[in-house]
Structure formats: C-alpha cells, structure tokens
Amino acid sequence: MVMIFTLVTAVQEKLNEIVDQIKTRREEEKKQKEKEAEEAEKQLFHGTPVTIENFLNWKAKFDAELLEIKKKRMKEEEQAGKNKLSGKQLFETDHNLDTSDIQFLEDAGNNVEVDESLFQEMDDLELEDDEDDPDYTPADPESDSAD
C-alpha cells in the first residue's frame, strides 16, 4: 500500500511538471507571436528613412509623372479645341444664329410683344431717392426697414 501510494504521488508530480512545462511553453510561444506581430507592425510604420538623395530621386520621378499628365491634357484639349468653335466664332461664321432664337420662339407660338413706349421716357418713372427719406441714415441699416 505504501509502495503504491509512493508510485502514484511520484507519477502525479511528474504529470504536474509536464503540464507546467506545456503551459510555460504555450505562454512563451504566445509571447513570441505577440512580439513578432508587434515588430511587424512597427516595420509597417517605420518605412524608408528620408534622406536628401531619396527625396530628390522621388521628386524627379514625381515631376516627370506630373509633366506627362500635363502633356496628355494639353493634347486632349488641343484635339477638342480643333473641332469645337467658340460662341464668338460661331456667330462670326453664321449670321443666321442672330435670329435663330427668335425664329424658334415664333415657330413654337410664343410671340412676345414688347411696348417700347414704356422705356422711352425716364421722367415718367417714379424712382425713390434715399435722400428724400427723413428717417434714412446711411450708418444705420435698420433705419430704412420701415419701407
């Protein structure tokens, strides 16, 4: 009985040691993975150190790309400009455009009659002068709000 008890306790102690070793190994592996992940994250944010040489190389490439884009735009604008006339050029080349809107309105039945006599005499118009208003003061914007 004593011998069995001794053997069982020895086996239990050995099993506890093995379990502790497995736990410590798992913890170490977990810590190692966390450390590697942290290092990888640091590498993402670290990037390339900027030196004068690196910056000048990058600037030259960037300027070349911008110049190429500008050249493409200029070519596109030139091609579009060759086919398209400005409004002034259109009116200079085709004098029918002067009356085309009027003709279009007449064809649609939207005849607008204007009494030109209303615009001939400016003396007949009743225009109010702010100087005539006794309550008006130029410095006070609310003084004219009663009108």
Side-chain angles (χ1 to χ4, degrees), residues 89-105:
Q89 291 170 339
L90 284 172
F91 278 107
E92 288 175 350
T93 57
D94 187 8
H95 294 290
N96 292 331
L97 291 175
D98 296 346
T99 59
S100 65
D101 289 342
I102 295 171
Q103 185 65 34
F104 177 74
L105 288 173

Side-chain angles (χ1 to χ4, degrees), residues 1 8 11 13-14 16-20 24 31 37 40 51 55 66 70 74 82 93 105 116 120 128:
M1 208 45 164
V8 170
V11 170
E13 288 177 9
K14 192 65 172 170
N16 286 336
E17 287 177 19
I18 293 172
V19 169
D20 288 340
T24 56
K31 287 180 183 179
T51 62
F55 176 74
L66 282 180
K70 286 181 182 179
M74 291 296 287
K82 289 179 183 175
T93 57
L105 288 173
E116 293 179 11
Q120 290 177 354
E128 292 184 23

